[in-house]
């Protein structure tokens, strides 16, 4: 029952993520001219990298745990706790890397350009 639950959960999670990506891609196509100044594709890829990498990393660690790769932590709760600590540490390292990537991909001047464009448009509409 436990493996069926993991399989069904993984399928639903993958379907939900695929739907979210499809909806986001459709939105980006429909508003690409309005958001061109924001360079959306790098932002999209950087956020998706964080989400997908953490998800697949968690699945990989669980699979390795099932194969006994973390048996040196001990049986039962100690092994599960050890895997959780490893995953939390890896996520912290990944977030450090992602913060540098996000600093490059989400520069403040992008939003200042967009704000200036909207203010200009408001002035022209008046």
């Amino acid at each position: 029952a436990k493996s069926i639950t993991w399989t069904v959960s993984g399928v639903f999670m993958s379907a939900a993520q695929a739907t979210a990506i499809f909806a986001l891609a459709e939105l980006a196509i429909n508003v690409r001219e309005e958001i061109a100044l924001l360079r959306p594709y790098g932002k999209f890829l950087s956020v998706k990298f964080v989400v997908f990498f953490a998800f697949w990393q968690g699945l990989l660690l669980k699979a390795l745990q099932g194969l006994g790769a973390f048996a040196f932590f001990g049986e039962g709760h100690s092994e599960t706790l050890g895997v959780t600590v490893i995953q939390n540490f890896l996520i912290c390292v990944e977030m450090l890397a992602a913060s540098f990537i996000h600093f490059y991909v989400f520069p403040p001047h992008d939003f200042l350009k967009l704000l200036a464009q909207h203010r200009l448009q408001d002035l022209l509409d008046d």
Side-chain angles (χ1 to χ4, degrees), residues 75-111:
E75 293 296 320
H77 294 295
S78 297
E79 185 178 11
T80 303
L81 182 62
V83 171
T84 302
V85 167
I86 289 171
Q87 182 165 11
N88 289 343
F89 174 75
L90 289 174
I91 287 176
C92 287
V93 172
E94 292 158 15
M95 291 306 109
L96 177 64
S99 70
F100 289 111
I101 292 168
H102 278 76
F103 185 73
Y104 172 75
V105 177
F106 289 92
H109 61 80
D110 279 357
F111 299 100

Side-chain angles (χ1 to χ4, degrees), residues 2-122:
K2 189 174 182 180
S3 83
I4 291 172
T5 303
W6 272 103
T7 303
V8 171
S9 176
V11 168
F12 280 123
M13 181 77 95
S14 295
Q17 289 176 346
T19 303
I21 288 176
F22 178 74
L24 191 56
E26 186 175 351
L27 176 68
I29 289 169
N30 290 330
V31 296
R32 73 173 156 238
E33 286 139 15
E34 290 88 358
I35 62 173
L37 287 176
L38 295 177
R39 301 175 308 167
Y41 296 108
K43 293 167 177 55
F44 171 76
L45 291 175
S46 67
V47 170
K48 285 299 159 191
F49 166 76
V50 168
V51 172
F52 278 122
F53 196 76
F55 172 73
W56 288 108
Q57 172 185 286
L59 286 180
L60 177 65
L61 287 173
K62 287 291 184 185
L64 289 173
Q65 180 183 5
L67 294 172
F70 301 109
F72 58 87
F73 283 117
E75 293 296 320
H77 294 295
S78 297
E79 185 178 11
T80 303
L81 182 62
V83 171
T84 302
V85 167
I86 289 171
Q87 182 165 11
N88 289 343
F89 174 75
L90 289 174
I91 287 176
C92 287
V93 172
E94 292 158 15
M95 291 306 109
L96 177 64
S99 70
F100 289 111
I101 292 168
H102 278 76
F103 185 73
Y104 172 75
V105 177
F106 289 92
H109 61 80
D110 279 357
F111 299 100
L112 294 175
K113 286 180 197 174
L114 188 65
L115 181 62
Q117 180 185 17
H118 282 290
R119 285 189 178 163
L120 179 61
Q121 187 64 38
D122 288 344

